[in-house]
Structures are given as structure tokens and as C-alpha cells.
Amino acid sequence: MREKEKTYETPCDYFNGKWVRDKRGPLYNGSTCATIKESQNCIINGRHDSTYLRWRWKPSECHLPRFEPNTFLQLIRNKHVAFVGDSMARNQIESLLCLLATASTPKRVHHKGSRRWHFDSHNASLSLYWSPFLVQGVQRTSTGPQHNVMHLDLVNEKWARDVDQMDLIVLSVGNWFLVPSVYYEGGKVLGCLKCHGLKYSDVSFYGSLRKALRIALNSIIERKVGKGNGVDVILRTFSPSHFEGDWDKGGSCSKTKPYRKGEMQLGEVDAEIRRIEMEEVENAKAKVKQFGGFRLEALDVTKLALLRPDGHPGAYMNPFPFANGVPKRVQSDCVHWCLPGPIDSWNEIFLEMMKKWEKQPRSQQ
């Protein structure tokens, strides 16, 4: 009991710790939750080892409680929580929907511009806005140009136009900045990343990521705080992949247990992306320090995600990939997370951040 009390009495660094065995297992499974994307429903797709489900994240200096769906629903009563970003945002919101569905069934509702669910029991809404760059842009396709197009000085209005309707915004960005892209500012080409055959200056994606994040955060500040309205914002930091080999050349992720703390070091690129994200959070907080009504924190999952190479769908992104023997080439997903799986811990920390905010009104931030 004393350990649990410490969670609320002193600030807790939930992001440094280790994965420890947990006999209890997850709150839901692939059969009981209806919102799991098929390619992340690993057990239903035939994954035999289930030991990856028997671990929990244990912070070094405090206690991380098991997810409490009724508490989360109570905290978002009469509110709209929006996840904005890439497929990792979708992965996290689907985990959250599964956790919450153990207490109250979400109802899918129509909304132009987002996928949205409503909890009638608490008059609460969760939505997912697909915006992998946060700024305006066009994604590369298999049939079109082999590069993204991003306008680094223009926020994506697909989500930004609805900011007035949002009470809590969770931003997720990163993976789409690692592939060939042409960057624009002021309607003119700024440069490009890995654009073979195009006569543009080479530009690092680090600076482009920073600009996109800054535009997104500034847009929220201008459209909410600038009008005297409060808003809570969480930036989820980069989640490393675990491909053994190149992701587009048959790379796989076959590990069956977590890394021990210190066993795996964060790669240079992943560490730099996280550093940029953490810096932009602090820059935005400093910018609005004199204003009330704006709370911003990082959901810093990078280190705890790094230690879970066993939690990805891998070959089980497809149903029963080895039913007819071992094929010559197996498609694997070593980016996203099985549901249930390690990503559920992100939402446990998310809830603790919300509980802390509930005890500290915005005027005291």
C-alpha cells in the first residue's frame, strides 16, 4: 500500500524501469475486443507463444497501477480525446478502446475527417485523425511518386480545424519522416530526403521533423490558448522498431522475451528523434508559460518500447503464415504492437498522467 501511495505523493518517473514477469496477463484478448486491427491480433493469427503477454512495466522508483477503465472514463466524462498522427496513434487508440471496453462498450459514430467512438455511459468521445506528418502533405504510394510531399509551414487542417472541439490531444509522429520526401516552405521546394533522380538539395529529416512538430504545437496554442480556452496535449515519443535485417528486404523480429535493462542501447537515429520531440515539448511549454489553460507533457515511451522486441506481430501480421510450411519470403511487422501487448502499458502511464493533472488544475501548472 505504501508503494501505491507514493505514486500520488511524489512525482514519478514512469519512463525508467524494467519489464518484469506478471502472472495476471492482459485485461482483454483478441476474441473479446472488437476494435483490434486484424494485422495486430497476433494470437488469433496463430502466434503460439503467449509469454509476451506475461510482462508488465515496472518503474524504478514508484508503482505503476494496473489500468483502471472506470477511472479513465470518469476523467474523460463529457470530453473529447483526439489521437492525431500516424499508424502508431491508431495502434495506441485501439489498445485504449480495448481496455475501456472491459467497462463500457464504445459505439462507432460517423464523423467527417476522423474515426470516432462514443461512450454513452460517460458522454465521452475518442477519435483518430490520420495525419502522419501533422503538417499538410501527400503520402507516397506504390503506384505514384516514390516520395512524400510535405509543406512544413502549413498545419494539416484535416485535424487542426477541429481543435476547438478537442479537450485532450495525443500527437504521434516519426516513422513517415524516415522515407524519401520532398519538403516545401512558402510554396517552394526546400530540399529533399533520399530523392534519387530529383535535382534538389539534400535535407536532413531531423530539421523537417522539428519544424512539423513546432507548427503543430503552435497551431494548437494559437487556436485554443490564444482564444482563452484550455487544452491538454500529450506528445508520444518515438517507438523504435526491431527489424533483424532491412524492413523492406525480409527483415524479421523473432525474439521471444524482453531485453534486460542495459542489454540494448538506443540507436543514434531513434535517440535523435526522441531528443527533438522532448526539446519541442519544453520549447512549447516555455512559450506559453505566462498563459493559463495549457498543459503539455511527453509520453516518453521510447526506452520502454526499445526493450520489447518480442511484442510485435512479426510474421503474424497475417493469419497463420506458416500453415503451409515456411515460405521463401515472410512479410513481417516489427514496428507496430500486438494487441494485447506492450503498448497497453503506454495507456497505463497515460492514465497516471491524467490522474496527476486532475489533482493539479491548469492554473497551477
Side-chain angles (χ1 to χ4, degrees), residues 3 5 54 78 88-89 124 129 139 165 205 209 215 218 230 238 274 283 310:
E3 185 183 28
E5 289 174 351
R54 304 290 176 176
N78 301 322
M88 206 61 74
Y129 288 81
Q139 300 156 228
Q165 305 166 20
F205 75 85
L209 173 63
I215 284 290
N218 285 345
F238 191 67
R274 175 188 173 273
N283 289 340
D310 57 320

Side-chain angles (χ1 to χ4, degrees), residues 138-152:
V138 180
Q139 300 156 228
R140 68 174 187 167
T141 65
S142 57
T143 56
Q146 295 300 298
H147 57 265
N148 301 319
V149 172
M150 297 186 209
H151 295 270
L152 299 175

Side-chain angles (χ1 to χ4, degrees), residues 27-143:
L27 290 176
Y28 65 93
N29 61 52
S31 299
T32 61
C33 182
T35 53
I36 299 177
K37 184 178 172 66
E38 182 181 356
S39 60
Q40 285 144 27
N41 205 339
C42 303
I43 296 296
I44 296 299
N45 283 350
R47 180 169 174 171
H48 296 295
D49 70 294
S50 61
T51 55
Y52 72 95
L53 298 172
R54 304 290 176 176
W55 298 87
R56 65 180 176 88
W57 178 249
K58 186 180 188 317
S60 299
E61 299 178 354
C62 53
H63 176 63
L64 176 61
R66 193 169 170 85
F67 190 86
E68 303 158 342
N70 285 307
T71 301
F72 192 100
L73 287 167
Q74 186 59 37
L75 289 172
I76 65 168
R77 182 181 291 276
N78 301 322
K79 293 181 180 179
H80 174 203
V81 180
F83 284 73
V84 178
D86 52 20
S87 56
M88 206 61 74
R90 182 181 64 211
N91 205 176
Q92 185 178 356
I93 197 175
E94 288 173 349
S95 160
L96 182 58
L97 286 165
C98 288
L99 291 165
L100 295 176
T102 62
S104 179
T105 303
K107 180 174 68 176
R108 183 72 184 271
V109 295
H110 174 73
H111 179 262
K112 187 177 181 180
S114 75
R115 294 170 60 192
R116 187 164 296 190
W117 297 263
H118 191 259
F119 291 87
D120 292 343
S121 59
H122 293 75
N123 188 33
S125 294
L126 264 64
S127 61
L128 173 65
Y129 288 81
W130 175 254
S131 182
F133 316 132
L134 301 181
V135 294
Q136 288 185 23
V138 180
Q139 300 156 228
R140 68 174 187 167
T141 65
S142 57
T143 56

